[in-house]
């Protein structure tokens, strides 16, 4: 009898935890950044780190890239994801863009960028493993400051990832966000793939 009651209590507690996580995920599905936002102004003094080997990092004196150099005067498609070497990111998100590069070029896109809360060396190894480095520009947001500025950050400690980013995509023209897509949960892959953003350009 006591065992049966304990099982019901545990099941109820687990159900409450799952529901709480669902509510938190949906409540963060919308961020400070929105269509019309100047992404450079929204993240002042923030720079990203282009994917590279350690030796390249040393020779460049660990240089960073200001956001204005990435976005100003250009048509850019950018997508963010929770982390290098993770499941959906490796199997679906990056490949969806890699496989559509000709279509992006045909629409006049200057660059397709993948950004993640990772160091640039991890991103470099991952990009090479995916065979995507020549097609997509990979940038690290090593301390999460870019995503925090845009309120696209996400605590993924439950998956042992710590502070990361939501899964998102945007079409940005001369620094201004023209289209923005954010998944309800980082494990989702419904609105941030290449096919969706191509239709928004």
């Amino acid at each position: 009898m006591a065992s049966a009651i304990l099982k019901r209590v545990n099941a109820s507690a687990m159900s409450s935890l799952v529901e709480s996580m669902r509510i938190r995920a949906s409540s963060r599905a919308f961020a400070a950044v929105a269509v019309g936002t100047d992404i450079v102004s929204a993240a002042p003094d923030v720079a990203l780190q282009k994917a590279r080997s350690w030796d390249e990092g040393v020779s460049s004196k660990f240089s960073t890239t200001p956001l204005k150099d990435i976005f100003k005067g250009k048509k850019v498609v950018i997508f963010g994801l929770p982390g290098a070497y993770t499941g959906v990111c490796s199997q679906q998100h990056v490949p969806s863009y890699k496989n559509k590069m000709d279509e992006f070029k045909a629409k006049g896109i200057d660059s397709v960028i993948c950004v993640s809360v990772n160091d640039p060396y991890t991103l470099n190894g991952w990009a090479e493993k995916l065979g995507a480095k020549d097609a997509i520009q990979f940038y690290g947001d090593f301390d999460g400051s870019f995503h925090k500025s845009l309120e696209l950050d996400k605590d993924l400690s439950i998956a042992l990832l710590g502070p990361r980013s939501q899964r998102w995509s945007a079409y940005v023209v001369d620094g201004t966000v023209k289209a923005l897509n954010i998944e309800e949960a980082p494990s989702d892959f419904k609105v941030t793939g290449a096919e969706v953003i191509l239709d928004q350009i």
Side-chain angles (χ1 to χ4, degrees):
M1 179 71 170
S3 175
I5 293 171
L6 185 59
K7 284 181 181 176
R8 283 200 298 271
V9 169
N10 285 342
S12 175
M14 182 59 72
S15 177
S16 296
L17 175 62
V18 169
E19 184 59 26
S20 172
M21 288 170 56
R22 193 185 314 278
I23 290 168
R24 285 202 303 271
S26 63
S27 70
R28 283 303 308 276
F30 300 96
V33 65
V35 171
T37 297
D38 182 325
I39 206 165
V40 177
S41 298
D45 304 318
V46 171
L48 296 174
Q49 309 85 45
K50 192 159 190 176
R52 60 200 172 213
S53 69
W54 177 259
D55 289 343
E56 289 169 333
V58 171
S59 65
S60 71
K61 297 182 180 177
F62 304 106
S63 64
T64 60
T65 307
L67 294 184
K68 63 181 178 56
D69 291 356
I70 296 172
F71 294 107
K72 288 301 183 181
K74 300 173 184 176
K75 292 182 178 179
V76 175
V77 168
I78 183 170
F79 62 102
L81 42 79
Y85 295 100
T86 56
V88 175
C89 304
S90 298
Q91 296 161 15
Q92 297 179 64
H93 208 171
V94 171
S96 80
Y97 285 86
K98 178 187 169 188
N99 295 335
K100 296 287 184 178
M101 289 307 298
D102 288 343
E103 292 178 48
F104 283 117
K105 288 177 183 175
K107 288 192 175 238
I109 298 301
D110 293 300
S111 56
V112 174
I113 292 170
C114 173
V115 62
S116 175
V117 182
N118 284 109
D119 64 80
Y121 321 110
T122 296
L123 277 181
N124 187 65
W126 184 51
E128 288 181 347
K129 181 175 181 179
L130 294 175
K133 193 177 176 185
D134 291 338
I136 299 168
Q137 294 181 26
F138 288 77
Y139 282 91
D141 177 22
F142 83 97
D143 60 357
S145 57
F146 176 68
H147 286 92
K148 287 173 189 171
S149 296
L150 303 178
E151 292 187 9
L152 287 168
D153 56 309
K154 185 79 176 173
D155 184 357
L156 294 178
S157 296
I158 194 167
L160 305 180
L161 291 170
R164 294 286 179 152
S165 80
Q166 299 198 57
R167 189 179 305 282
W168 61 281
S169 64
Y171 170 44
V172 184
V173 178
D174 193 26
T176 300
V177 177
K178 299 296 185 180
L180 176 68
N181 309 292
I182 307 171
E183 301 288 358
E184 286 192 7
S187 57
D188 289 345
F189 185 64
K190 299 173 183 176
V191 300
T192 57
E195 297 82 358
V196 173
I197 204 94
L198 274 166
D199 287 340
Q200 297 171 327
I201 296 171

